[in-house]
């Protein structure tokens, strides 16, 4: 979003600058306290501690009618095409998007509104596969680390993880992963298949690159499913016949619904969910924080505080 495009592979880019008048405020993982409400804003009060669901739809299309505001084509998504949370104040158009976060800290609750929600929605889609054996989580960035914590709470077996960064593999092992693999290692796929007696039945690709998806699909057993949430970019190819011969599925998901956001906050409280590594920086250091993230220097999440 900062660059203004997504990489589509083969030197192609998806331009996402339309509809944004500069200066534009980024930031879609938002939590704080309510300062002021409009006359029609019932059910909330100034001073309430809240997390903000940012994936606000148009309210009129078929996706919104199904409750899938997160994939609304005319969405009013905070920090994406409406001013977001890298600010002292945020305007939210309706109280239903203000979710009670108590007793969670604002830093943890904020990350649940995208990192956590994305991982939770993806894991729900492979819950059936999780009953057949350990899952594979590819990419131990901010989404992957909260995905690890959620997978450990949701399923009986601790997941396997994969990341090219040794520091992130170590952090994942410290967070309870059953084993960690380096997709850049030529022997990693063979080792994973041996460790799982033929592959995993469910995988989440939190990176979304050609290499990460190739590793995830290559690790699947027959009948397996990969859910892709990452937006790193690029292209992916595989023999079409293998989809049928191995009866595998590749599915994409974009964050999660408002209902799933409520579920996740309730689950985080009920499970006493441990947050991923979090470090706070002042709002004035937003650009430095983004630069650290871009350089791959962040373990877990950086949170800007006002």
């Amino acid at each position: 979003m900062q660059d203004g495009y997504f990489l589509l592979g083969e030197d192609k880019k998806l331009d996402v600058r339309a509809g944004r008048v500069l200066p534009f405020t980024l930031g879609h993982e938002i939590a704080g306290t309510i300062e002021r409400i409009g006359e029609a804003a019932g059910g909330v009060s100034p001073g309430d501690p809240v997390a903000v669901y940012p994936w606000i739809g148009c309210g009129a299309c078929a996706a919104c009618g199904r409750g899938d505001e997160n994939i609304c084509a005319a969405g009013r998504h905070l920090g994406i095409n409406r001013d977001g949370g890298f600010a002292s104040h945020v305007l939210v158009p309706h109280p239903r998007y203000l979710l009670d976060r108590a007793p969670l800290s604002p830093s943890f609750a904020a990350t649940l509104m995208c990192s956590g929600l994305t991982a939770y929605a993806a894991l729900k889609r492979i819950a059936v596969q999780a009953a057949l054996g350990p899952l594979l989580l590819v990419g131990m960035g901010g989404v992957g680390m909260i995905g690890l914590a959620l997978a450990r709470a949701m399923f009986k077996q601790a997941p396997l993880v994969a990341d090219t960064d040794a520091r992130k593999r170590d952090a994942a092992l410290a967070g309870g992963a059953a084993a960690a693999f380096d997709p850049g290692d030529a022997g990693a796929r063979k080792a994973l298949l041996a460790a799982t007696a033929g592959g995993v039945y469910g995988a989440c690709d939190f990176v979304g690159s050609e290499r990460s998806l190739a590793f995830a699909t290559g690790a699947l057993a027959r009948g397996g499913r990969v859910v892709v949430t990452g937006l790193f970019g690029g292209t992916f190819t595989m023999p079409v016949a293998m989809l049928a011969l191995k009866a595998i599925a590749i599915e994409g998901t974009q964050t999660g619904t408002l209902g799933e956001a409520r579920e996740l906050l309730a689950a985080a409280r009920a499970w006493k969910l441990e947050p991923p590594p979090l470090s706070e920086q002042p709002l004035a250091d937003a650009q430095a924080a983004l630069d650290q993230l871009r350089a791959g220097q962040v373990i877990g999440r950086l949170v800007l505080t006002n």
Side-chain angles (χ1 to χ4, degrees):
M1 297 307 301
Q2 182 186 16
D3 291 338
Y5 61 86
F6 289 107
L7 295 172
L8 301 180
E10 299 177 353
D11 296 324
K12 297 179 181 177
K13 297 178 180 179
L14 175 64
D15 192 319
V16 294
R17 293 175 296 174
R20 295 167 185 83
V21 178
L22 298 179
F24 180 81
T25 307
L26 296 172
H28 57 271
E29 295 184 319
I30 307 165
T33 57
I34 298 174
E35 180 161 310
R36 188 178 303 170
I37 61 174
E39 293 181 0
V44 294
S45 301
D48 287 351
V50 295
V52 180
Y53 179 79
W55 312 109
I56 300 167
C58 69
C61 68
C64 289
R66 296 192 307 267
D68 296 330
E69 291 184 74
N70 52 307
I71 57 173
C72 171
R76 300 168 290 164
H77 299 169
L78 302 181
I80 306 299
N81 51 24
R82 295 291 187 275
D83 284 322
F86 291 180
S88 61
H89 294 73
V90 178
L91 293 173
V92 181
H94 195 282
R96 67 172 171 268
Y97 304 115
L98 300 172
L99 310 182
D100 179 17
R101 63 171 170 84
L104 305 180
S105 72
S107 291
F108 184 28
T111 65
L112 291 178
M113 292 296 96
C114 182
S115 301
L117 182 58
T118 296
Y120 178 67
L123 290 168
K124 282 180 63 177
R125 285 161 171 77
I126 51 174
V128 171
Q129 287 75 22
L132 303 176
L135 300 177
L136 170 65
L137 311 182
V138 181
M140 287 292 105
V143 181
M145 287 299 290
I146 189 60
L148 169 60
L150 285 166
R152 293 191 64 219
M154 293 168 69
F155 308 124
K156 292 182 179 180
Q157 298 188 57
L160 312 173
V161 302
D163 200 289
T164 56
D165 188 327
R167 299 169 305 155
K168 293 178 181 178
R169 293 197 301 273
D170 289 343
L173 290 170
F181 300 88
D182 178 1
D185 183 342
R189 177 177 176 272
K190 185 176 180 180
L192 189 152
L193 294 176
T196 55
V200 298
Y201 289 95
C204 290
D205 180 1
F206 296 130
V207 181
S209 71
E210 180 177 357
R211 289 180 61 190
S212 62
L213 187 53
F215 188 78
T217 55
L220 288 183
R222 292 179 181 271
R225 174 185 296 266
V226 175
V227 179
V228 183
T229 72
L231 294 167
F232 189 88
T235 58
F236 172 75
T237 60
M238 70 178 299
V240 175
M242 295 307 295
L243 291 169
L245 291 174
K246 290 190 68 176
I248 62 174
I250 302 173
E251 176 183 356
T253 182
Q254 185 175 331
T255 68
T257 67
L258 178 57
E260 287 171 329
R262 293 194 180 104
E263 290 174 15
L264 178 57
L265 285 169
R269 287 188 283 262
W271 298 337
K272 296 183 170 65
L273 193 68
E274 286 292 325
L278 296 175
S279 56
E280 297 180 349
Q281 293 190 14
L283 180 60
D285 291 344
Q287 187 59 57
L290 288 170
D291 292 342
Q292 291 178 61
L293 188 65
R294 185 189 297 275
Q297 298 171 347
V298 178
I299 303 296
R301 268 289 184 256
L302 290 179
V303 181
L304 302 176
T305 60
N306 181 45

